[in-house]
Structure formats: C-alpha cells, structure tokens
Amino acid sequence: MKEKPAAERGTRTGFTTGACAAAAARAAVLGLAGGDVPDEIESLLPNGSRVRFAVQDGRCDLDAGLAHAMVVKFAGDDPDCTDGAHLTVDLRLLPDQAGVVDYVAGDGVGTVTMRGLGLEVGGPAINPVPRRNIADNLREAAPELLARHGIEVTISVPDGQVMAKKTTNARLGILGGISILGTTGIVKPYSTAAWRASVVQGVQVAATTGHGVVALTTGGRTETFAIAALRAERPELPSACFVQMGDFLRYALDEAAAQGIGLVVLAVMVGKLTKIAQGETITHANRSEVDTDLVAEIGRRIGASAEDCAAMASAETARFGAELMVERGLGDAFHAALAQAAIDTLTAPDRYGRAFQLRVLVTDFSGNQVADVWSAPALPHDVPASAGRIGIGAIAHAENDND
C-alpha cells in the first residue's frame, strides 16, 4: 500500500494484521486457481470497502497444490508494534473438501492456551472477523476452486515472537507470537494527538446538532450496535451524534461536559466496561490491566458461587467472567451490575458528577444488547472540577482496531 504525502501525517489510517493476511490469501488463491500470484491485489475488507495491496514473494506449485504470498503491514500514524510486519500466507489445497477453510498458526503467530478470548484453546490466535474476511476473499476470488476443494491457510509473521513481547499476549495466554486482529480492517491513529483532537471535535459537532445527545463508542462493532439501538428509539438521530472515541473516554467526556450535552450514551463491551468501572478513562490494553478482582466482586453482588468468583478473579480477561455468568444464567444481572458500577465511578463528585445524564448500553460479542442502565438526570450547570484533568493520556500500543 502506498503511503500518503507527508503533509497528511498524523491522521493517516493503516490496515490491520487481519486485512493484510486476507489480501495475501486472496493473492495466493489466485495463484492456485490460475497459476500466477499477482503482484498487486484489490482485497475486500471486513467493513465492505476494497483496498489495493502490494503483494510480495508470490509463488505457487500447482502440482503440489501450494501457494505463497506476503503483504507488508502499513499501520498509518498509529505507533503500532506490528507496523512493517510481513503478513505471510501459505495455502494448501484440501482435495474434495468443498468449501472448507482451515487455519493454522505459522511461525510468529500465537497459539491460544486459555479461555476467555472467544477462540478455541490450542488453536491459532486468528480472531473470528479476520477468519471470515479471509474466507470471503478466498471464495470471491476463486469460487470454482472452493466449490470443489477446501483450503488450509497458514499465517506466519517473521519476528512475530519479538513483536508479541510488546503486547499483552502472554498475559492473555497467547503464546508464540502475535494475534491476527481487526474488526473493520482499518487501523485508526488512536494514540496520536491528532486522533484525540478528532474525538473532541466529534463531540463538538454532536453538540451542534441540537439533539442533546452524543453516543460514544470504542470502535466499529460498538458503533454499529449503538446506531441500531438508538435509531430504533430516535430514527432522526444524525450520524454526527455517534462518535468513535476509541480508548479516549476522558477527552470525550470532558468535552461533553464542556459543551453542556444533556445525555451521554456509552456503547461498550465487557472489557472496556470493566476498565471504566475500575476508574480508567484511557482504556487501552497497554494503559492498564483489567481488574478481574472487580469482575469477581460484581459476581459476588449478584449471587455467584464462591468457586465461580474465585475463577473470575484468577482469570486474565473480563470476558471470561461474563461468559461464565451467562452460562450460570446470571448474564443479565452481571452486565447490569457492572454497568451500574461504571456509572457510579463516572458520576462520583470528583469525576463528572451530574454534568450529564449517563446511559450505558452493553453489547456482547455477537452484537446483542445485554444491559441498558441509566444514571440520574443531569443537574443544571453542574460543571465537574475534574474536567480536563482526569487520566494521564494514552501511550503507544499494539494493534488497535478497537471493538
């Protein structure tokens, strides 16, 4: 992918590891189907858009049913540890297994060793959206081939083990390399001053619409969820009322208070929600760890067993606790209690008080609403003393195609 002019630096978007792997897979399957791996490919992203990628090291062996291609990741202006990574894909034909797409972790791609990530333990750390995106590209590029045979997709990232040391993968039980990530295919520069400024500007624009509401989301999935939920109630809400704040809750809430917006909606998933409840206003993974003791405490409040609470406290993710509570039939109570804890934290007198009414909408990883909790209404002119000084700002981080 060609870089944009230097004058645009600070706001350039990049592409996720998943998007780059999908582009390499698409190029490689064209080699299997036609004998030649192209040196440039237009690939389908998870968000439905199409982008051209340069392809390197393309080769295929039709007799052996093998093909190989590589795409170099461009992370835009996000200080991403995987910027420049070589997303390498090897395809192997699976004769007479029509439509099957299997995934293998090659060198530098992690293996899942713990529950709570939504992936099979023992399997490759290739997230569900990239898996679907890769399969979509394979079937679109070579439909006749996939109608008769299956494909084994091995993704490798040279030096992925080194890159993984700059992430929280080991703590999450992902060993041996990086994860293949991405929900939209696009990496936005959430860590840059330019992106923080764009969040503030987005809230300012929302304030000018006259609707008195801003919906703050952490990324593509939560924004899609928020739009569907809120427009079902208020079809007239314009797109300007929805702001992807990424990890920058502090900046978004400070500006909402400054603009006098009456209702702030947070659309979140359990991981970010837990961080908010524990008092974090910069919510990226490298900014702080999830407090699973808090997750366990929420479990105790809703009547979870001592054994389950202990398991939640010792887990590495909040998602583990949420899924366990769903299994126990306590999912709704758990999510509602956690949302209330987040509201209690944010509306404390030394935080935002009642500068705005806060509504927390929680979605699970399938896009289903699992909680809807409101704070007390705003008080007139309740300007929080904390506005403008909560938190310490974000730091450089690993791939951030947020939820």
Side-chain angles (χ1 to χ4, degrees):
M1 188 66 193
K2 296 180 179 179
E3 292 194 12
K4 295 181 181 180
E8 298 181 31
R9 293 185 184 277
T11 59
R12 295 175 303 168
T13 57
F15 301 96
T16 63
T17 49
C20 295
R26 187 178 185 115
V29 82
L30 286 174
L32 279 182
D36 292 309
V37 177
D39 58 11
E40 188 176 69
I41 193 71
E42 183 180 79
S43 187
L44 174 68
L45 298 187
N47 66 4
S49 61
R50 295 177 184 273
V51 174
R52 296 200 73 82
F53 290 84
V55 178
Q56 300 183 31
D57 200 25
R59 58 184 186 268
C60 60
D61 183 340
L62 295 183
D63 290 335
L66 303 174
H68 175 95
M70 185 269 286
V71 168
V72 178
K73 177 177 172 177
F74 172 61
D77 287 319
D78 192 71
D80 188 329
C81 74
T82 60
D83 187 32
H86 289 193
L87 273 296
T88 305
V89 171
D90 287 279
L91 300 185
R92 182 171 69 91
L93 202 65
L94 302 175
D96 302 320
Q97 298 184 41
V100 171
V101 180
D102 287 335
Y103 297 92
V104 177
D107 182 52
V109 172
T111 296
V112 178
T113 66
M114 296 171 59
R115 292 179 59 195
L117 296 171
L119 295 172
E120 179 185 1
V121 172
I126 304 171
N127 277 18
V129 172
R131 291 182 189 223
R132 289 195 296 271
N133 185 222
I134 291 168
D136 287 345
N137 273 283
L138 293 175
R139 292 175 179 131
E140 184 179 83
E144 293 182 3
L145 184 70
L146 271 295
R148 294 180 287 116
H149 306 297
I151 299 286
E152 180 185 81
V153 181
T154 299
I155 303 176
S156 305
V157 182
D159 298 322
Q161 296 93 335
V162 176
M163 297 172 193
K165 293 178 181 178
K166 301 176 183 179
T167 74
T168 59
N169 274 12
R171 180 170 55 84
L172 299 175
I174 298 172
L175 305 181
I178 66 168
S179 303
I180 305 303
L181 304 173
T183 56
T184 65
I186 301 295
V187 174
K188 293 182 179 180
Y190 285 150
S191 294
T192 66
W195 185 256
R196 294 198 301 269
S198 76
V199 172
V200 171
Q201 186 179 48
V203 176
Q204 292 169 344
V205 171
T208 69
T209 66
H211 290 275
V213 59
V214 62
L216 304 176
T217 64
T218 55
R221 282 188 290 180
T222 49
E223 183 175 68
T224 298
F225 162 70
I227 289 172
L230 295 182
R231 283 186 174 160
E233 303 168 355
R234 298 175 61 176
E236 76 280 4
L237 282 181
S239 296
C241 287
F242 299 87
V243 176
Q244 281 196 34
M245 65 177 176
D247 296 305
F248 295 109
L249 177 65
R250 166 196 166 183
Y251 299 94
L253 292 183
D254 281 357
E255 194 59 30
Q259 294 293 328
I261 294 176
L263 174 63
V264 175
V265 180
L266 298 182
V268 291
M269 293 183 183
V270 66
K272 301 292 187 187
L273 180 61
T274 302
K275 287 197 171 188
I276 295 168
Q278 70 194 49
E280 297 295 333
T281 52
I282 304 296
T283 59
H284 194 271
N286 284 4
R287 171 68 171 82
S288 63
E289 295 184 0
V290 168
D291 183 357
T292 52
D293 285 335
L294 173 60
V295 176
E297 173 57 29
I298 296 297
R300 292 187 188 95
R301 294 178 194 175
I302 63 169
S305 70
E307 182 181 7
D308 283 348
C309 290
M312 290 189 284
S314 63
E316 293 289 345
T317 66
R319 180 174 180 172
F320 173 88
E323 291 179 346
L324 183 60
M325 292 296 92
V326 170
E327 289 177 13
R328 300 293 190 258
L330 296 171
D332 289 349
F334 173 82
H335 288 102
L338 187 58
Q340 185 60 57
I343 287 175
D344 293 344
T345 296
L346 291 175
T347 58
D350 61 342
R351 291 290 176 117
Y352 293 97
R354 291 172 66 181
F356 40 73
Q357 187 170 30
L358 191 60
R359 180 184 184 184
V360 177
L361 284 170
V362 188
T363 174
D364 65 15
F365 290 85
S366 297
N368 301 309
Q369 181 174 305
V370 291
D372 182 2
V373 183
W374 297 65
S375 74
L379 291 177
H381 310 298
D382 186 13
V383 179
S386 59
R389 61 180 177 83
I390 298 177
I392 61 173
I395 62 174
H397 56 75
E399 185 172 7
N400 70 357
D401 187 7
N402 288 352
D403 293 325

